[in-house]
Amino acid sequence: MAGRSTRNGAGKGTILVTGSGIDARRLEVLRARGYDIRQPPPLLTEEQLARELKDVVAYLHGGEERATRAALESAKSTLKVVAFLGVGYETFVDMAAADELKMVVTFTPGAARDSVATFTVAQIINANLQMFRLIGNRYPDWKSVQDLPYELSARNVGIVGMGVIGSRIAEMLRRAFDANVAYYSRTPKKRLERTLGMEFKALPDLAEWSDILVVMVPGNSTTSSMIDDEVLGGVRPGTILINTARPSVVDPEALYTSMETGRIRLAAFDGFYSKDSEAAAKLLEDFGSRMIVTGHVASHTLQGMGRMLDQAVMSIDNLLSGKPDPHTVSAAARIPRRPPSSRPPG
Amino acid sequence: MAGRSTRNGAGKGTILVTGSGIDARRLEVLRARGYDIRQPPPLLTEEQLARELKDVVAYLHGGEERATRAALESAKSTLKVVAFLGVGYETFVDMAAADELKMVVTFTPGAARDSVATFTVAQIINANLQMFRLIGNRYPDWKSVQDLPYELSARNVGIVGMGVIGSRIAEMLRRAFDANVAYYSRTPKKRLERTLGMEFKALPDLAEWSDILVVMVPGNSTTSSMIDDEVLGGVRPGTILINTARPSVVDPEALYTSMETGRIRLAAFDGFYSKDSEAAAKLLEDFGSRMIVTGHVASHTLQGMGRMLDQAVMSIDNLLSGKPDPHTVSAAARIPRRPPSSRPPG
C-alpha cells in the first residue's frame, strides 16, 4: 500500500509520517526545506511499515505501529532520525536496533502533559462514581447506602510514577478536589511533597493504602509488568486501578486474578494489550463490564497533538540540518541524553 | 403501600423519610428523641405520598416526589417541618402551600457542594472529550485533525449561577485545569472574580462566549426556562451544554431547536424532565446519542448524603424542640430567612 506523498520539487528526500490526527499544516516547515512528506493510512503492519520506510531520511512516528528491527533495517542506508510523537518511545521503537543502525531517536516530553493528566483525572472521577452505570439511568430506583460512592476528598489516590504527567495529576487532585494523594517513584520528589502535601510510599505500601491506584510510568523493560501479583495481591478489596500508562506496565494475568478475587473492582486502561494477547482477551471476556478501555487517546487533543507535532518537526529539522536537538533519547544522539530527573514519567 | 416503620416506644409522633441511599444510622438521633421513623420505598406518587404523610410530625424529603398542596394537606393537623435534602426545594415542595399550612421548610445548603461540583467537572471533561464515544474503542482507526477535541485550557467555560456550587466548579476549573471561566449571576461576585481570575458577563454575552455552558442555578419560578430560545439561539455552533441544575431551567423545546441546528452539539443533564413530557421524549428520540443523562445523582456520595442528612436531621430536631434553625427557607420560619447573598446557587 503506497502512502500519500506530496512533492515540493527540491528532492532532499522523503519523510515518513505515521498516525492519525496529524495536522498537515504543521509539517509545512519540512516541506519548505525541500523534503517530501509520505503519510500512509494508520495501523501499519511490520511489512507495510518496512515498505513505507524505504528510502526515507526521517520517520515521524505518530501511530500505533512498532518500529521493529526488521522495519528499521529496510531504511538503514537513508534513515537518520526517528521522531517519536509522545513519551513512551521504548514501547514502539526497537531502541537497540536504532542505536546499532545509528538512527537518532527523539521524543516530545511535556507536550501532552495537560491533556493526559486531564483525561486521567476524568477517568478517576468516572471510575470512582461508576459514571458509566449512571448514564442513561434517568429515573433511578432504590439505592442502598452501600451503593453510594465516596467523595473524592474521602479517597486515597496513590500515583505510581511522579514524572511530568504524574505530578500534574497529583496537582489537579490536590488543588481542585482535595483528595488524599501519595506516590511512589524511583526517586522521591521532596519539593513536590511539600508544595502539594503528599507522601512518598514504597510501592507495596502505596498499593495497600490506595482506594484508587493510578499508574503513570513510561513503558519500558524496567516497568514491564511492574504492577504484578505482588502489587495487586496487596491492594484492599474494591480498589480501582487507573492505567493511562502503557498496558504492558500491568501484568494481565495478575490483573485477572485480582479482578477474580474482587481486590480490583474496576480497571481503566487507555491503550490495551495487543489484539492477539490471550490473557487480554480473557480479561475482557470475563470482566469486560468492570473494564473501561480507550484506545491510547489521552494525549489526543488539538493542542496536545499540536505541541507534540511541533516538537517532533523541530527535532527532525534540527537533526537533518546537523544541529543538536534537546529531545534526543538514543545512544546515537549527537548531544548527551538529559539526566533522568528532568525526564518524563518515572 | 405502607412504609417500613420502626417504633421506639415513646410515641412522640412519626417522621416520614423518603428517598434512597439514606443511612438509617444517621436517623438515630430522632429515634432517641422518641420519634418513629417511616421509610417507604422511593418514587412515590402524589396519592402514595398523601397516605404516607398522614399523622406525621416531620417530613424529611430525600426522594424525587413532589410535595404538592394536596399531599401536604393530608398532614395539615400534625406536620410541622418539611426538611428538604438538598438545595432545590422549590422544585419539589409547594412553598405557597407549606407557608399557608404553617409548615416550616428547611434545606441543606453547602452539604453536597463538593460532590455536585466534582460530578459536574467530570461531565464537562467527558462531554468535551466525547469520552463516551472513546470507551470500548480499543484500537481506533484513522482520526482527522477536525475530530480532535480541544484541551480544557483552550476552552471557554461559562457558568450560569455563581452560588455555593457554581463557585466551587469555577474554582476547580481555574485551579486545576486552567480553563477560561466567565459567569453570569443575579449579583456579580467581585471577590470571586479577583481570586479566581474570571469575568462577569450578561447572560447573552456569556452564551455567545462559551464553548461549554454550565447551568447551576436553583430551580424555581424565576429560573424556569431561563435557558430559552434567546439564550440558546445566541450560542455558537458546536457548544456543549452541561445542566446539573434542575431540568426545568432549560426549556426543552428551545433545546430541541438548538440541537437541530447544531448550535448545541452535546447536552448533559443530571435529572431529566418528567416522564410524561412530550418535548423531553422527542429530545431523546431525535438526539439521544448527543445527550448524556443521569438521574439527579450528582450529590449522591456517602459523604455528601451524610452531611445533608445530618443537617436535615438537626433541622428537624431543632424545630420540633421549639428551637431556632439556621436552615429554614419558608415564610413560616421561626427565625428570619437568611439574606440572598448567603444562599445557595443563584
Side-chain angles (χ1 to χ4, degrees):
Chain A
M1 181 177 5
R4 285 182 276 148
S5 183
T6 51
R7 176 165 284 275
N8 205 31
K12 283 173 78 174
T14 301
I15 296 173
L16 176 69
V17 178
T18 62
S20 58
I22 304 287
D23 187 347
R25 288 167 303 180
R26 294 182 189 263
L27 305 172
E28 276 308 320
V29 182
L30 299 173
R31 273 203 199 85
R33 297 267 191 222
Y35 296 102
D36 292 336
I37 305 292
R38 184 183 293 168
Q39 274 190 282
L43 300 181
L44 299 173
T45 63
E46 183 178 33
E47 247 176 72
Q48 288 166 338
L49 177 61
R51 217 173 313 145
E52 299 289 353
L53 272 175
K54 216 157 164 40
D55 300 326
V56 312
V57 295
Y59 167 23
L60 196 161
H61 184 304
E64 295 289 310
E65 76 278 4
R66 312 282 151 168
T68 59
R69 176 177 294 270
L72 293 175
E73 272 177 350
S74 71
K76 67 179 167 189
S77 56
T78 54
L79 187 56
K80 293 187 187 74
V81 186
V82 178
F84 182 77
L85 205 71
V87 291
Y89 57 90
E90 289 159 300
T91 305
F92 293 93
V93 181
D94 185 328
M95 294 299 289
D99 285 348
E100 280 168 39
L101 295 164
K102 304 260 187 290
M103 295 164 182
V104 180
V105 181
T106 66
F107 72 154
T108 62
R113 183 191 67 154
D114 279 14
S115 296
V116 176
T118 302
F119 182 99
T120 304
V121 167
Q123 292 296 52
I124 289 170
I125 304 173
N126 287 331
N128 185 46
L129 297 178
Q130 300 223 54
M131 187 68 94
F132 305 103
R133 295 199 184 174
L134 301 176
I135 305 285
N137 191 0
R138 293 190 294 280
Y139 309 101
D141 208 330
W142 187 268
K143 187 169 220 176
S144 76
V145 180
Q146 287 74 35
D147 291 340
L148 289 174
Y150 275 54
E151 218 167 54
L152 204 48
S153 62
R155 283 300 204 182
N156 291 347
V157 184
I159 304 178
V160 180
M162 197 42 62
V164 173
I165 302 173
S167 59
R168 187 74 175 100
I169 295 169
E171 190 180 72
M172 289 172 171
L173 292 172
R174 293 292 303 141
R175 288 206 185 149
F177 304 102
D178 204 27
N180 306 310
V181 178
Y183 76 103
Y184 165 74
S185 176
R186 279 174 311 179
T187 45
K189 312 276 160 115
K190 288 293 171 197
R191 204 176 55 82
L192 279 175
E193 288 177 27
R194 280 194 306 274
T195 53
L196 296 181
M198 62 175 185
E199 237 181 76
F200 174 90
K201 287 182 189 288
L203 187 51
D205 297 341
L206 189 74
E208 198 278 332
W209 177 84
S210 299
D211 297 307
I212 302 171
L213 190 64
V214 180
V215 186
M216 186 39 75
V217 291
N220 57 38
S221 55
T222 320
T223 59
S224 178
S225 290
M226 177 183 188
I227 307 300
D228 57 6
D229 272 325
E230 210 187 311
V231 175
L232 293 177
V235 306
R236 282 177 285 120
T239 299
I240 290 168
L241 177 70
I242 307 283
N243 180 20
T244 25
R246 301 310 304 147
S248 59
V249 172
V250 177
D251 179 70
E253 276 154 19
L255 179 57
Y256 189 96
T257 306
S258 68
M259 294 201 87
E260 204 170 28
T261 59
R263 285 187 185 281
I264 296 296
R265 175 157 63 101
L266 204 63
F269 275 66
D270 181 42
F272 207 55
Y273 304 98
S274 78
K275 280 181 182 169
D276 50 15
S277 158
E278 276 178 41
K282 207 158 139 48
L283 262 173
L284 287 177
E285 204 176 301
D286 293 351
F287 304 115
S289 67
R290 287 157 56 198
M291 306 215 43
I292 305 174
V293 182
T294 49
H296 197 197
V297 292
S299 66
H300 286 199
T301 63
L302 191 63
Q303 290 71 27
M305 287 287 278
R307 283 191 294 265
M308 288 198 290
L309 206 46
D310 287 349
Q311 277 192 24
V313 162
M314 182 176 294
S315 290
I316 290 174
D317 190 30
N318 282 338
L319 293 163
L320 289 184
S321 318
K323 284 187 276 190
D325 184 76
H327 298 128
T328 56
V329 287
S330 57
R334 288 166 201 197
I335 64 162
R337 201 167 152 156
R338 300 201 296 169
S341 64
S342 63
R343 294 265 316 290
Chain B
M1 180 178 2
R4 285 183 277 150
S5 183
T6 50
R7 175 165 284 279
N8 204 32
K12 282 173 79 174
T14 300
I15 296 173
L16 177 68
V17 178
T18 63
S20 58
I22 303 286
D23 187 349
R25 287 166 305 180
R26 293 181 189 264
L27 304 172
E28 275 309 319
V29 181
L30 299 173
R31 274 204 198 83
R33 298 270 192 220
Y35 296 102
D36 292 336
I37 305 292
R38 184 184 293 168
Q39 272 191 282
L43 301 180
L44 299 173
T45 63
E46 182 178 34
E47 247 177 71
Q48 288 167 338
L49 176 60
R51 217 174 311 145
E52 298 289 353
L53 272 175
K54 217 158 162 41
D55 301 326
V56 312
V57 294
Y59 167 22
L60 195 160
H61 184 304
E64 295 290 309
E65 77 276 5
R66 313 281 153 169
T68 59
R69 177 178 293 271
L72 293 175
E73 271 176 348
S74 72
K76 67 178 167 189
S77 57
T78 54
L79 187 57
K80 292 186 189 76
V81 186
V82 179
F84 181 78
L85 205 70
V87 291
Y89 57 90
E90 289 159 300
T91 304
F92 293 94
V93 181
D94 185 327
M95 294 300 291
D99 284 349
E100 281 168 39
L101 295 164
K102 305 256 185 292
M103 295 164 180
V104 180
V105 180
T106 67
F107 72 154
T108 62
R113 182 191 68 153
D114 279 14
S115 295
V116 177
T118 302
F119 183 98
T120 304
V121 167
Q123 293 296 52
I124 289 170
I125 304 173
N126 287 331
N128 185 47
L129 297 178
Q130 300 224 54
M131 186 68 95
F132 305 104
R133 295 197 185 176
L134 302 176
I135 305 285
N137 191 1
R138 293 190 294 281
Y139 309 100
D141 208 330
W142 187 268
K143 186 170 223 179
S144 76
V145 180
Q146 287 73 37
D147 292 339
L148 289 173
Y150 276 54
E151 217 167 57
L152 204 48
S153 61
R155 284 299 204 185
N156 291 348
V157 185
I159 305 178
V160 180
M162 198 41 63
V164 173
I165 301 174
S167 59
R168 186 75 174 101
I169 294 169
E171 188 179 73
M172 288 173 172
L173 292 173
R174 294 291 303 140
R175 287 206 185 151
F177 304 102
D178 203 27
N180 307 310
V181 178
Y183 76 104
Y184 165 74
S185 175
R186 280 174 310 180
T187 46
K189 314 276 161 113
K190 288 293 171 197
R191 204 176 55 81
L192 279 176
E193 288 177 28
R194 280 194 306 275
T195 54
L196 296 181
M198 62 174 184
E199 238 182 75
F200 173 90
K201 286 181 190 289
L203 188 49
D205 298 340
L206 189 75
E208 198 278 332
W209 176 84
S210 300
D211 298 308
I212 302 170
L213 191 64
V214 180
V215 186
M216 186 40 76
V217 292
N220 58 39
S221 54
T222 320
T223 60
S224 181
S225 291
M226 175 182 189
I227 307 300
D228 58 7
D229 271 324
E230 209 188 310
V231 175
L232 293 177
V235 306
R236 281 176 286 122
T239 299
I240 291 167
L241 177 70
I242 307 283
N243 181 20
T244 24
R246 301 309 305 148
S248 59
V249 172
V250 177
D251 179 68
E253 276 154 19
L255 179 57
Y256 188 96
T257 306
S258 68
M259 295 201 86
E260 206 171 25
T261 59
R263 285 188 184 281
I264 295 296
R265 175 157 63 101
L266 205 63
F269 274 66
D270 181 43
F272 206 54
Y273 304 97
S274 79
K275 280 182 185 170
D276 48 16
S277 157
E278 275 177 41
K282 208 158 137 48
L283 262 174
L284 287 177
E285 205 176 300
D286 292 349
F287 305 115
S289 68
R290 287 157 57 197
M291 306 214 43
I292 305 173
V293 182
T294 49
H296 197 197
V297 292
S299 65
H300 286 200
T301 63
L302 191 63
Q303 290 72 27
M305 287 287 278
R307 283 191 295 264
M308 289 199 289
L309 206 45
D310 287 348
Q311 277 191 25
V313 162
M314 182 176 294
S315 290
I316 290 173
D317 190 31
N318 281 338
L319 293 163
L320 289 184
S321 319
K323 283 187 275 191
D325 183 75
H327 297 128
T328 56
V329 287
S330 56
R334 289 167 199 198
I335 63 163
R337 198 166 156 158
R338 300 199 295 166
S341 64
S342 63
R343 296 265 317 289

